Every structure is written in C-alpha cells, then in structure tokens.
C-alpha cells in the first residue's frame, strides 16, 4: 500500500535549532500542528505494523505562487491566512494597505522570516515522492528552499515584480508567531533527487494568477462588484 501526506513545518513547533531538520523534536504549539502530527504518527504506526505499506510525510514550509498559465492560483475566499494573498489583494486595490504584524523580531529588518516555496516546486516534489514509494517504510521529508525571506523582503520583491509601490503599516505582533524558520533540504535532495528551483521573484511575478472574484460579504468588506480581478502577470 502506498501513501503520502502533506504535513508541514508546523509539526516542529518552537525551533530548538535552525534550519529545521527532519529529526528536529516534534512539538507543535497549536491544534492545527497537532492534527498534522497525529496523522504522521498514524502512518508511522501503520508502516511499522505492516511492511507492505510505504509512506512519505511531506513537510511543506510556506507554499506560494501560481501556475505560469494563470489557470491555477491562490485567491482565498474571505480573509486570507497567508501573507502573499494579502499582498495580491493590496496590489489589485481590494485593500488599502498591508498589515505587517510586528517589526521587533530578532531578524535583520525586524520582520518575521519564513521559507517560501513555489507551488510548482511542491508539485514536482510530490511526483518525486511517488517515485520513492516503491521503497518500504515511512520517511519524513522537508519541502522548502532552505532560504528565509522576511516580510519586507516579500514586499520589495512584489514591488519589483509589479512595478508599483505596495502600501503597508506596521501593527502589533500576533500571538505565537516565530521570529524565523527555514528548512533543511538535504534529505529531500538525497532521497528524492528534488530541490526547489524557483526564486522569490518568480513567486511574486505569478502570485494571484487565475484569481477569482472576491465575494462582497467578506469580513473586511472587500468588494469587486462582480468583476474578475487578477494579478496574472506583471510582464504585460
């Protein structure tokens, strides 16, 4: 039996060292992370009890970007949970400015650092993991770039990609946000022959491609009046 599951860096919790390696202690700090760890444990137990099982636990870091065609992209309904959709909504005028949560983190520019990885790199990682599943056992693998970028790095990259300024304001930190984290990617490279190839600039150039109309009843009153709004490409 073959299986793979998308878990995430959230299973690691507070970093005891960085970058996170796959043998970093697993101590998620919120219910979302704990549910990921429960599923990982279930698959580890299943593989241990039945040698016919093979599983890959793919620990995503921060997926962003879109398919180059613009047919598949990230445009969540309601209030986004991630940075890049907020950035795209500001860029197309659905929001007046971007809220940057905290500028007093222990990082070079004071904003949080994350390991952003392009969704197409992740798709290729899944294909590589499927090829590995002819081997018995259960393997956990980080899928990230191994490079951290701050919130201000992302804003600057998006401004360069779009050719326009991105208004933002610093606001209070959110509880539980970490200063910085990134992935150790050696295991994915050696086990799958996979590594992320796309840069932050590429992620920002295609973010918002294929976005849907944003509904008028969102909590923040974002309205498009029924029009399709998209940041498909900044090369036009």
């Amino acid at each position: 039996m073959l299986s793979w599951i998308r878990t995430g860096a959230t299973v690691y919790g507070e970093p005891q060292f960085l970058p996170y390696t796959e043998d970093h202690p697993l101590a998620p700090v919120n219910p979302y992370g704990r549910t990921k760890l429960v599923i990982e444990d279930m698959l580890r137990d299943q593989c241990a009890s039945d040698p016919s099982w093979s599983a890959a636990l793919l620990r995503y870091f921060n997926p962003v970007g879109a398919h180059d065609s613009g047919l598949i992209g990230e445009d969540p309904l309601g209030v986004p949970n991630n940075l890049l959709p907020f950035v795209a909504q500001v860029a197309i005028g659905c929001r007046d400015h971007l809220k940057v949560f905290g500028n007093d983190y222990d990082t070079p520019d004071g904003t949080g650092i994350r390991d952003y990885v392009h969704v197409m790199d992740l798709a290729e990682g899944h294909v590589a993991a499927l090829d590995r599943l002819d081997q018995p056992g259960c393997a956990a693998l980080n899928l990230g770039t191994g490079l951290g970028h701050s919130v201000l790095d992302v804003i600057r990259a998006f401004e360069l990609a779009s050719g326009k300024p991105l208004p933002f304001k610093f606001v209070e930190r959110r509880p539980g946000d970490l200063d910085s984290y990134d992935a150790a990617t050696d295991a994915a490279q050696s086990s799958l022959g996979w590594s992320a190839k796309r840069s932050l600039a590429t992620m920002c150039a295609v973010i918002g491609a294929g976005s849907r109309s944003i509904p008028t009843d969102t909590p923040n009153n974002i309205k498009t009046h029924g029009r399709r709004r998209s940041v498909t490409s900044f090369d036009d």
Side-chain angles (χ1 to χ4, degrees), residues 4-116:
W4 52 257
I5 182 71
R6 180 264 200 213
T7 66
T10 185
V11 298
Y12 294 123
E14 292 282 348
Q16 297 187 19
F17 55 83
L18 289 172
Y20 286 127
T21 61
E22 287 82 357
D23 59 0
H24 185 284
L26 304 179
V29 298
N30 54 47
Y32 176 75
R34 287 194 290 274
T35 60
K36 297 290 187 183
L37 183 56
V38 166
I39 296 170
E40 283 199 5
D41 286 340
M42 290 171 62
L43 283 171
R44 274 188 284 267
D45 289 345
Q46 180 63 33
C47 290
S49 65
D50 185 345
S52 70
W53 272 70
S54 178
L57 313 175
L58 304 180
R59 294 175 180 163
Y60 291 12
F61 275 63
N62 292 74
V64 298
H67 191 271
D68 289 344
S69 68
L71 297 177
I72 303 173
E74 185 177 18
D75 184 16
L77 298 175
V79 180
N81 293 317
N82 304 312
L83 172 61
L84 268 296
F86 271 117
V87 168
Q89 288 182 3
V90 173
I92 63 177
C94 290
R95 295 179 184 273
D96 294 332
H97 64 274
L98 176 71
K99 293 180 180 179
V100 177
F101 294 99
N103 62 346
D104 59 350
Y105 289 98
D106 185 17
T107 62
D109 65 20
T111 64
I113 290 177
R114 298 292 181 266
D115 187 339
Y116 298 98

Side-chain angles (χ1 to χ4, degrees), residues 31-228:
Y32 176 75
R34 287 194 290 274
T35 60
K36 297 290 187 183
L37 183 56
V38 166
I39 296 170
E40 283 199 5
D41 286 340
M42 290 171 62
L43 283 171
R44 274 188 284 267
D45 289 345
Q46 180 63 33
C47 290
S49 65
D50 185 345
S52 70
W53 272 70
S54 178
L57 313 175
L58 304 180
R59 294 175 180 163
Y60 291 12
F61 275 63
N62 292 74
V64 298
H67 191 271
D68 289 344
S69 68
L71 297 177
I72 303 173
E74 185 177 18
D75 184 16
L77 298 175
V79 180
N81 293 317
N82 304 312
L83 172 61
L84 268 296
F86 271 117
V87 168
Q89 288 182 3
V90 173
I92 63 177
C94 290
R95 295 179 184 273
D96 294 332
H97 64 274
L98 176 71
K99 293 180 180 179
V100 177
F101 294 99
N103 62 346
D104 59 350
Y105 289 98
D106 185 17
T107 62
D109 65 20
T111 64
I113 290 177
R114 298 292 181 266
D115 187 339
Y116 298 98
V117 57
H118 197 291
V119 291
M120 294 309 299
D121 281 321
L122 290 176
E124 291 162 7
H126 276 264
V127 173
L130 287 172
D131 291 339
R132 181 216 169 271
L133 289 177
D134 58 352
Q135 305 172 35
C138 182
L141 297 164
N142 290 337
L143 297 187
T145 65
L147 299 172
H149 295 286
S150 74
V151 176
L152 293 184
D153 288 337
V154 172
I155 290 172
R156 294 186 192 104
F158 203 91
E159 288 178 332
L160 286 173
S162 65
K164 63 172 104 174
L166 193 78
F168 68 90
K169 295 180 181 179
F170 292 116
V171 297
E172 292 295 316
R173 287 190 186 203
R174 296 178 301 187
D177 277 354
L178 302 177
D179 290 346
S180 174
Y181 64 79
D182 57 314
T185 59
D186 297 346
Q189 175 64 48
S190 61
S191 178
L192 306 180
W194 174 90
S195 61
K197 300 178 178 64
R198 296 163 178 87
S199 66
L200 178 63
T202 300
M203 299 176 210
C204 289
V206 299
I207 194 69
S211 63
R212 301 180 304 273
S213 294
I214 301 173
T216 59
D217 58 349
T218 57
N220 282 353
N221 242 354
I222 300 170
K223 297 185 179 181
T224 60
H225 304 289
R227 294 191 298 271
R228 178 185 177 87

